[in-house]
């Protein structure tokens, strides 16, 4: 009798443990988080191509920001004498005053330049980033607040480019498209900031020219601004490519399907 009672208790205990184990397994299975969707090989290849396009924009931006050929200020060719003339070119960080030979200048050109001609050059860094002093170029005074604003916009755009590159690198290493949308925001915003930096810098040039009228000057934006403008367009285009790749479907294919179904 007692042996049957203990055997019955052992069997009930084993059945209870089995039931608890089954419940635990079910709860563990139901508690698992769904894995994020993985990228296909074709999508990963498209992301790498878009990233390459964005890196071209980053390279052009760094090239344009580091040079002092944003604008060229040229005196009339015969303003001083018939042998030499002076011109200046500067960017965000420093300015250069060049003395060129008139005989090397194109006879049809009325102003001194371009800056690529051989001659003496004297370059100095702007002091309004350190001591706050304005620079004087041909008796004209720079507007340091506009220069600083343009430089800050350019540096902020460079920071966003770095953040966007980090997002794309993480997306490719984890093989998940989650980081594509933050990368889109970073690259598009950086392109817009580059354009704003050019606009603010051009306003600083106009303020410089309006500060004094004793020396006539001809001004023109140089090749660094062309690099930055191209970089801004490429960055915005690359960001929009990341946005399209982050969508769960291709909007162009969806439009074509709807059009074909309506025609049928």
């Amino acid at each position: 009798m007692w042996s049957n009672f203990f055997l019955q208790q052992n069997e009930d205990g084993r059945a209870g443990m089995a039931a608890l184990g089954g419940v635990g397994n079910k709860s563990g299975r139901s508690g698992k988080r769904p894995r994020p969707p993985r990228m296909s090989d074709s999508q990963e290849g498209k992301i790498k191509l878009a990233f390459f396009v964005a890196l071209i924009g980053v390279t052009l931006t760094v090239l344009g920001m580091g040079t002092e050929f944003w604008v060229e200020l040229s005196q009339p060719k015969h303003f001083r004498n018939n042998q030499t003339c002076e011109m200046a070119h500067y960017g965000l960080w420093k300015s250069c005053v060049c003395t060129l030979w008139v005989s090397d200048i194109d006879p049809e050109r009325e102003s001194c330049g371009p800056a690529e001609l051989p001659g003496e050059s004297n370059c100095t860094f702007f002091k309004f980033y350190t001591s706050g002093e304005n620079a004087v170029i041909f008796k004209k005074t720079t507007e340091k607040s506009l220069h600083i604003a343009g430089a800050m916009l350019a540096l902020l755009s460079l920071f966003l480019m770095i953040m966007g590159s980090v997002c794309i690198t993480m997306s490719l290493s984890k093989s998940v498209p989650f980081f594509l949308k933050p990368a889109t925001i970073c690259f598009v915003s950086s392109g817009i900031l580059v354009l704003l930096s050019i606009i603010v810098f051009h306003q600083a040039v106009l303020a410089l020219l309006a500060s004094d009228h004793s020396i006539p000057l001809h001004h023109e934006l140089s090749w660094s601004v062309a690099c930055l403008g191209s970089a801004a367009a490429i960055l915005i285009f690359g960001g929009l490519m990341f946005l399209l790749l982050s969508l769960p479907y291709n909007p162009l294919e969806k439009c074509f399907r709807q059009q074909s179904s309506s025609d049928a």
Side-chain angles (χ1 to χ4, degrees):
M1 174 181 178
W2 291 106
S3 60
N4 293 334
F5 175 75
F6 287 118
L7 288 173
Q8 183 67 29
Q9 277 192 336
N10 290 333
E11 291 177 359
D12 293 341
R14 291 172 184 173
M17 292 298 292
L20 289 175
V23 173
N25 290 334
K26 290 180 181 179
S27 61
R29 292 172 185 173
S30 61
K32 288 183 179 179
R33 295 181 179 179
R35 293 183 179 180
R38 312 289 289 185
M39 292 189 300
S40 61
D41 293 337
S42 62
Q43 187 179 12
E44 187 173 347
K46 293 176 183 178
I47 293 173
K48 290 181 179 179
L49 178 61
F51 190 33
F52 177 75
V53 172
L55 287 179
I56 294 175
V58 174
T59 304
L60 291 176
T61 303
V62 174
L63 177 63
M65 285 177 57
T67 58
E68 61 275 4
F69 290 92
W70 284 51
V71 67
E72 294 183 2
L73 305 176
S74 305
Q75 294 182 0
K77 187 166 55 175
H78 301 289
F79 183 76
R80 294 179 59 189
N81 52 60
N82 293 328
Q83 295 181 353
T84 60
C85 63
E86 288 186 342
M87 66 162 299
H89 58 89
Y90 64 92
L92 292 177
W93 319 111
K94 68 177 180 178
S95 63
C96 298
V97 177
C98 305
T99 302
L100 306 178
W101 295 98
V102 175
S103 58
D104 294 335
I105 301 173
D106 187 0
E108 298 181 357
R109 183 184 175 100
E110 297 181 357
S111 60
C112 189
E116 290 79 13
L117 293 177
E120 297 181 1
S121 180
N122 183 18
C123 299
T124 56
F125 285 93
F126 290 125
K127 296 182 179 180
F128 38 70
Y129 297 112
T130 55
S131 61
E133 299 179 14
N134 277 313
V136 178
I137 304 174
F138 297 143
K139 297 182 181 181
K140 301 179 186 293
T141 306
T142 58
E143 186 67 32
K144 64 179 181 180
S145 59
L146 291 175
H147 275 274
I148 294 174
M152 293 301 295
L153 289 172
L155 291 177
L156 182 59
S157 68
L158 188 60
F159 172 75
L160 289 176
M161 293 175 207
I162 296 174
M163 295 301 297
S165 301
V166 171
C167 290
I168 297 301
T169 304
M170 293 178 64
S171 179
L172 291 174
S173 61
K174 301 294 183 180
S175 188
V176 291
F178 173 76
F179 297 100
L180 293 180
K181 290 182 180 179
T184 298
I185 297 173
C186 291
F187 282 113
V188 172
S189 300
S190 64
I192 295 174
L193 288 177
V194 169
L195 292 177
L196 290 177
S197 177
I198 296 174
I199 294 173
V200 172
F201 180 82
H202 187 244
Q203 294 299 316
V205 173
L206 296 179
L208 171 74
L209 296 174
S211 63
D212 184 81
H213 298 282
S214 60
I215 299 179
L217 291 178
H218 171 74
H219 81 283
E220 59 181 352
L221 299 178
S222 190
W223 60 267
S224 295
V225 174
C227 283
L228 290 168
S230 302
I234 292 173
L235 289 169
I236 294 174
F237 177 72
L240 295 178
M241 288 178 67
F242 290 131
L243 179 61
L244 292 177
L245 292 173
S246 65
L247 297 176
Y249 59 89
N250 192 340
L252 296 178
E253 292 181 358
K254 187 176 181 180
C255 291
F256 289 144
R257 289 175 184 175
Q258 290 180 354
Q259 185 177 3
S260 61
S261 62
S262 61
D263 293 340

